[in-house]
Amino acid sequence: MKRKDIIELLSQNNFECEILVIGGGATGLGVAVDAAARGFKVVLCEQHDFAKGTSSRSTKLVHGGVRYLQQGNVRLVVEALRERGRLRKNAPHLVRDMRFVIGAYRWWERIFYTIGLTFYDVLAGRLGLGRSLPMKADSVKQELPGLKKSGLRGGIVFHDGQFDDSRLAITLMQTARNKGAHCVNYLKVNSLLKSGNKRVCGVRVEDVLSGKKFDIESKVVINATGVFVDNLMRMDNPEVSKKVRPSQGVHLVVDQKFLRSDSALMIPKTKDGRVLFGVPWHGKVVLGTTDTPLDLFSLEPKALDEEVEFILNQAGQYLDLQPAREDVLSVFAGLRPLAASEDNNGYKTKEISRSHKIYRSDSGLLTITGGKWTTYREMAEEIVDLAIKEGSLTHHTCVTKELKLHGYLEEVDRDNWDYVYGSDINEIRKIVEKNEEYGALLHPDYTFTQAHVIWAARKEMAQSIEDVLARRVRALFLDARAAIQMAPKVAELLAAELGKTRGWQEEQIAVFDALAKDYFFHS
C-alpha cells in the first residue's frame, strides 16, 4: 500500500486502531513490529522520516556495553548481550560479528582487559560471538596496521556486533508493514484526543506533505519520541516534570587509510573517561563518540567545535596517521534520550542511567524512553505487555524473540553495499532488468545506483532527497561532498516516481545542499 493510500485509510471517520505509536525511531518501530506481530491493529506516526533523529546517528554497534561493565552495571550488560545475540540471529544480513582490538601500552593493560572481557564473554553465554583473547604486539600490528606502534606491548581482541542503524530502522518498518501495521512518515501529532473521562483515546495529526489534518482513534497511545518525549507528555499534562536529559554524541567519518583493517579499534579510556571507537563501516571508518549534555536541541543537531577537536585529538594519539579536519568526509551528531529524574541534574551524562524507563500518565498515555538500539526489542516487548493491560486488549504472547526480520538472509557479500537489503536485492535487480538505465551509478566513487533510489521511493516510503541519501543509501553519512553531487539525479528520479514538478526538484536540491554543507568542514 502506498503512503497516500494509507493516509486515505487512516483519515476515514470510522477508522480505529488498538495501539497507536508516536515516533519512528528504533523504539517506536520496534513497538510497531511487536504489536503487529501479536495480531493487533497498529498505526505508527513519525513527524519526519523514519530514524531521522538518534536512530540513524549511532556508532553503528550492536553491543553489550563494555563501559557499563566497567561501571558495574552487570544487569544492563547481560540484557544487552542477550538482545545482541537475538538480533544477530533475526537479521544476519544487517548485523555481523566484528573483532575489536585494544592496544596495550602499559604492562598491566593486557592482563586487566583480558580478565574483564572474558567476564563479558561469560555474561553473553550461548549467544556470544567469540572469545576474548590476549594478543602479542606483532599480532596487533598485523591486524591493525593503522595503530600507533611506538610503545605497543600487545593487545586484546574481543567480539561485538556491528550494523547499519537506519537500514535496520527501514527493515523494522517493512517488517511491521508485513505484519499489518500502518507506518507513516511525515505524519505529525499536533494534539492528543481525550474521552469524557479524560483518558487518551487517540491523536489529531497533520500530514506534513499535504497539510491534511484528521483524527485517529486508538485504545492505547504509546509515546516513543526519543528526546522529544517531554513535549508529548506536556500535551497530556502541562505540569509534568522533565523525564529526559539529552546528551549529544558526535561521530566523524574518515577514509579507511587511517585504520587499514576490517577489525575495529577500541580506546577503553579517553581523558574524560569515555570509550572511543574506530569502526569500519561501508568502506570508511567511524570515529566517536562524545557525551555532551544539551538543554536546547533540534531534529538536526550540529557538532560543536570542541567535540570535533576532542575526537581528532584522542584518535590521533592512537593512530599512525593523525586525522585532521580536512580528512573528515562527514560529521554527524545524535542525541541520546537519557532517562533522568530531577535528581540527576548535576551529574555527568555518563553517570546517568542508560536503562530505559516507562511512564504511565493518569490519562493512560504510555511513554517509553532511554535504552539503546541493542535493546529495542526487549523494550518493545515490555511496553506492549503494558499496553495490553492498559487497553484491556486480548492477550497475545510476544513472538519477536525469534522473529526473522524483513529481508532475512543468512549469507551476504559484505564487500558489496547491496548486502543491507538482504533478500530484497533480487527485486532491486529486477528494476535494472526492466530498465538498464537504472543500473547507472549515482557517483563514480560509490556503488549506489539509480535503482536504489527507485526502490526507496516505491518500497521504503522515501519522500525527499534527504530520505534517500541520508537514511536509505547512507551517502550523506559516508561522504557529504559526494552526496551533494548525487542530489540532482536523485531529485529527478524521485520527481518521476512521486509525480513532482521541476520546481519541486530545484527546491529539494537547494534544501539538501544547505543540509549537507553542515556535514563537512569548509576550507
Side-chain angles (χ1 to χ4, degrees), residues 56-60 250-258 277-288 303 308 311-312 315 323-333 446 474-481 519-521:
S56 63
R57 302 160 183 268
S58 73
T59 316
K60 320 307 177 193
V250 167
H251 297 83
L252 309 181
V253 178
V254 296
D255 191 87
Q256 179 69 11
K257 69 181 181 181
F258 290 98
F277 290 100
V279 182
W281 185 61
H282 296 319
K284 307 292 187 219
V285 176
V286 177
L287 300 174
V308 173
I311 294 174
L312 291 174
R325 280 180 172 247
E326 55 267 28
D327 297 310
V328 176
L329 299 171
S330 182
V331 53
F332 59 92
Y446 294 89
R474 310 318 308 272
L476 179 61
F477 285 74
L478 291 167
D479 188 337
R481 293 176 182 85
Y519 281 69
F520 64 89
F521 303 113

Side-chain angles (χ1 to χ4, degrees), residues 185-486:
N185 53 2
Y186 298 100
L187 190 61
K188 183 178 181 182
V189 172
N190 287 333
S191 61
L192 301 173
L193 304 178
K194 293 192 176 182
S195 60
N197 60 2
K198 297 184 178 180
R199 283 186 55 80
V200 170
C201 61
V203 295
R204 180 157 294 162
V205 299
E206 176 182 357
D207 180 0
V208 176
L209 302 182
S210 70
K212 183 175 183 178
K213 298 178 182 178
F214 55 94
D215 296 344
I216 306 175
E217 295 183 0
S218 180
K219 293 181 179 178
V220 185
V221 175
I222 296 175
N223 173 14
T225 54
V227 294
F228 298 102
V229 295
D230 288 327
N231 296 353
L232 202 80
M233 292 184 79
R234 284 175 178 167
M235 282 186 191
D236 176 50
N237 176 10
E239 305 301 320
V240 72
S241 61
K242 291 183 70 172
K243 299 295 188 272
V244 165
R245 185 173 186 194
S247 165
Q248 178 160 288
V250 167
H251 297 83
L252 309 181
V253 178
V254 296
D255 191 87
Q256 179 69 11
K257 69 181 181 181
F258 290 98
L259 200 59
R260 305 195 297 281
S261 175
D262 291 330
S263 299
L265 167 67
M266 176 185 165
I267 302 168
K269 194 169 184 179
T270 61
K271 65 181 181 182
D272 75 339
R274 285 193 58 77
V275 171
L276 194 74
F277 290 100
V279 182
W281 185 61
H282 296 319
K284 307 292 187 219
V285 176
V286 177
L287 300 174
T289 181
T290 58
D291 201 356
T292 308
L294 293 181
D295 293 319
L296 299 175
F297 52 92
S298 68
L299 265 172
E300 190 60 51
K302 293 179 174 58
L304 304 175
D305 281 345
E306 53 265 36
E307 293 178 299
V308 173
E309 291 303 324
F310 171 81
I311 294 174
L312 291 174
N313 177 270
Q314 292 297 299
Q317 292 181 33
Y318 289 85
L319 297 173
D320 263 345
L321 291 174
Q322 181 165 355
R325 280 180 172 247
E326 55 267 28
D327 297 310
V328 176
L329 299 171
S330 182
V331 53
F332 59 92
L335 300 175
R336 305 178 189 90
L338 302 187
S341 68
E342 295 86 343
D343 296 337
N344 294 115
N345 287 341
Y347 290 7
K348 294 180 179 178
T349 53
K350 66 186 177 70
E351 296 170 331
I352 298 176
S353 173
R354 255 56 176 183
S355 300
H356 67 275
K357 292 184 180 178
I358 293 177
Y359 302 94
R360 179 196 176 276
S361 302
D362 291 340
S363 66
L365 174 69
L366 301 181
T367 296
I368 183 166
T369 189
K372 58 181 182 174
W373 249 120
T374 308
T375 56
Y376 86 88
R377 191 214 61 82
E378 188 169 60
M379 293 165 63
E381 178 182 355
E382 186 176 341
I383 199 164
V384 173
D385 284 343
L386 186 58
I388 291 172
K389 296 177 182 177
E390 184 62 38
S392 300
L393 306 176
T394 302
H395 184 268
H396 297 289
T397 303
C398 174
V399 297
T400 57
K401 288 180 181 177
E402 297 181 356
L403 178 67
K404 294 178 180 179
L405 299 184
H406 180 90
Y408 178 95
L409 195 63
E410 292 185 10
E411 298 295 330
V412 293
D413 176 11
R414 295 190 183 276
D415 292 328
N416 187 324
W417 155 261
D418 287 343
Y419 77 80
V420 299
Y421 296 96
S423 59
D424 278 345
I425 190 54
N426 294 325
E427 299 303 313
I428 297 175
R429 287 170 181 161
K430 288 179 183 178
I431 293 175
V432 178
E433 289 173 5
K434 291 181 179 179
N435 187 338
E436 290 184 1
E437 286 185 17
Y438 291 152
L441 298 177
L442 297 176
H443 190 283
D445 294 340
Y446 294 89
T447 59
F448 312 133
T449 68
Q450 295 183 24
H452 293 120
V453 182
I454 302 300
W455 179 260
R458 293 179 184 175
K459 300 295 184 179
E460 298 179 344
M461 216 177 280
Q463 302 295 312
S464 71
I465 295 176
E466 182 194 341
D467 292 352
V468 173
L469 292 180
R471 290 170 293 277
R472 303 307 189 279
V473 302
R474 310 318 308 272
L476 179 61
F477 285 74
L478 291 167
D479 188 337
R481 293 176 182 85
I484 288 175
Q485 295 173 36
M486 299 180 202

